[in-house]
Amino acid sequence: MTVEIDPAGIWDSEAIADVAAATFPLACPPGATQDDIATFIDDVLSAERFSEYLTDPDRTVLKVTHGGAIVGYAMLIDGEPADPDVGRVVTLRPTTEISKLYVLPGNHGTGVASALMDAIVERAVAAGCAGLWLGVNQENVRAQRFYAKHGFAQVGTKTFVVGTQLHHDFVMQRAL
């Protein structure tokens, strides 16, 4: 599958929010309620929020397009982890967080996510980063396997709030 990976622009906010709304529920643990997932999408993954993310100088949103449509995206956050517990276990500096990395289900297993990860690594290396880190739900074994395949190792844990529920994530890190 031929895809293009480019930095997203403010004009992509709505399309990326649509992809986020379709993909975020797939990464949630089975105990997450539909109400909590909907609240998270409304509060964190709306077109308005993506407009804010796309104008934040510490964030980069990469979009994956195929046939003119956005089929995936990643959001990267440069700098120190905001959570002090994460800051203690993420040892490589400077670092970039992979805050979000999602691909629409019809594109799973096609190499789109791997191409997106390659673009993330290329960007981080060009920016002089020593490492990348991310949080992944402890019950999302498929994503954990994907990240391990791409050189990430578990270095700690953190919590993640979705609506009214507290979830537990593994913190994974990769040297560049």
Side-chain angles (χ1 to χ4, degrees):
M1 173 182 287
T2 303
V3 297
E4 293 183 24
I5 301 171
D6 298 296
I10 194 99
W11 52 88
D12 295 312
S13 297
E14 191 170 315
I16 292 174
D18 289 345
V19 171
T23 56
F24 178 74
L26 304 174
C28 291
T33 69
Q34 293 303 312
D35 287 345
D36 283 336
I37 291 170
T39 296
F40 186 88
I41 290 169
D42 289 345
D43 293 347
V44 179
L45 302 175
S46 67
E48 294 77 20
R49 289 304 305 270
F50 274 103
S51 293
E52 293 172 22
Y53 301 145
L54 287 162
T55 58
D56 181 339
D58 294 328
R59 295 177 192 252
T60 300
V61 178
L62 298 175
K63 64 180 178 180
V64 183
T65 56
H66 174 68
I70 295 176
V71 298
Y73 76 99
M75 181 162 44
L76 313 174
I77 303 173
D78 295 326
E80 287 298 307
D83 180 332
D85 292 333
V86 172
R88 283 189 280 283
V89 298
V90 171
T91 57
L92 301 168
R93 300 290 193 280
T95 190
T96 292
E97 175 188 5
I98 302 174
S99 172
K100 294 162 186 33
L101 191 162
Y102 293 102
V103 173
L104 287 171
N107 296 276
H108 290 177
T110 64
V112 171
S114 290
L116 184 53
M117 181 60 78
D118 291 346
I120 291 166
V121 169
E122 183 179 305
R123 180 209 168 271
V125 167
C129 288
L132 293 166
W133 75 272
L134 56 87
V136 60
N137 188 275
Q138 292 179 7
E139 296 183 49
N140 191 341
V141 176
R142 181 179 182 173
Q144 292 170 39
R145 280 194 307 259
F146 172 81
Y147 295 129
K149 179 177 136 183
H150 288 277
F152 286 82
Q154 182 184 330
V155 295
T157 60
K158 73 179 193 82
T159 57
F160 185 78
V161 177
V162 176
T164 61
Q165 294 183 314
L166 187 65
H167 297 280
H168 301 282
D169 287 0
F170 289 125
V171 175
M172 300 180 82
Q173 177 178 247
R174 173 190 169 165
L176 298 175

